[in-house]
Amino acid sequence: MNKIALKRTGVAAVALSAALTMAACSSDSGSSSSSSSTSAAAATSSTVTNPEPVATIPAISGGDTAVALDAGFLDALTTLGITPGVIGGATLDGTTLDFPITGGTATVYPKDSGYRPFVQGAIFHQGSGISLTAGANVIQLENFVVVPSKPAILFADVSVNGELAAASFPLFNLNGTTLEPVTVDSSGNAILTGTQVEVSAAAADFLNTTLGAPNAVPANFLVGVATLTIPTGS
């Protein structure tokens, strides 16, 4: 399967641009820009009376998002002949990817308050990302925007062999059901850990088309578990 997938990649990548653009257009109403993503997050707030937030950061400055990669995801990359890499300010240390936060806003409410989503805002990671190399073809996923709305999604700009295929593409679903209660460390950083990063249905179609392997990557495939460290200024 691996050899067949790599032989088909060059042809599939040409058709992929159109497929990605169509998928991106289908989600434009909620993801075509950072401002619309922020609005979507605000619009999905629960009608429960606002509790006192754990942290309110009107302008995030610094921090990072780390993703501890799942063993199953790493095994799948190996099986499919994909070599992961990092872009810009991102780092890969062992099995942990790390992306610097470059801006955004965040308001965090107690998880047990009943207010949903209990994390709101938009968190930007401009100038960094990951690359996936399969043979002579390189997929670049960068400029991540985390929007913790309902559903929570990570958007990214997607390029194939240096050509932009889709902007603000809904790359990963963020499953917050396992998110632990927010804590604030001694340095005043809000720590949000436990969110499961999962491949979206659109991203699964994209990867399967590129690899020429229809069932290689299923929707909601677990990529890893995220930990966000956000300075609160306190």
Side-chain angles (χ1 to χ4, degrees):
M1 179 180 68
N2 186 34
K3 292 182 179 179
I4 294 175
L6 294 180
K7 288 180 180 179
R8 291 180 179 174
T9 300
V11 176
V14 176
L16 177 61
S17 294
L20 274 175
T21 301
M22 290 176 65
C25 288
S26 70
S27 60
D28 273 351
S29 61
S31 61
S32 61
S33 68
S34 299
S35 60
S36 62
S37 296
T38 306
S39 298
T44 54
S45 298
S46 168
T47 56
V48 175
T49 302
N50 292 41
E52 186 70 22
V54 174
T56 300
I57 309 102
I60 298 174
S61 177
D64 68 288
T65 297
V67 179
L69 299 174
D70 184 74
F73 177 73
L74 293 171
D75 289 343
L77 292 182
T78 300
T79 300
L80 294 168
I82 298 173
T83 302
V86 293
I87 299 170
T91 61
L92 176 58
D93 184 6
T95 59
T96 299
L97 281 166
D98 192 275
F99 309 95
I101 295 173
T102 58
T105 65
T107 302
V108 183
Y109 296 94
K111 184 177 181 180
D112 60 1
S113 67
Y115 192 69
R116 295 294 182 270
F118 69 93
V119 180
Q120 299 183 22
I123 303 169
F124 303 96
H125 306 74
Q126 297 298 304
S128 66
I130 59 177
S131 62
L132 301 173
T133 301
N137 296 282
V138 180
I139 301 166
Q140 292 180 301
L141 313 169
E142 53 192 326
N143 301 326
F144 298 156
V145 181
V146 172
V147 180
S149 57
K150 295 190 295 186
I153 297 175
L154 183 149
F155 297 95
D157 294 335
V158 179
S159 299
V160 179
N161 296 330
E163 296 292 330
L164 182 66
S168 298
F169 183 71
L171 184 65
F172 297 133
N173 295 329
L174 303 176
N175 182 350
T177 58
T178 55
L179 179 63
E180 298 176 11
V182 179
T183 60
V184 178
D185 66 16
S186 59
S187 298
N189 298 309
I191 310 298
L192 297 85
T193 189
T195 296
Q196 294 185 344
V197 181
E198 302 171 351
V199 177
S200 70
D205 287 343
F206 154 56
L207 291 171
N208 293 334
T209 300
T210 306
L211 297 171
N215 301 310
V217 181
N220 299 317
F221 189 70
L222 179 62
V223 175
V225 176
T227 298
L228 279 73
T229 301
I230 304 174
T232 63
S234 61

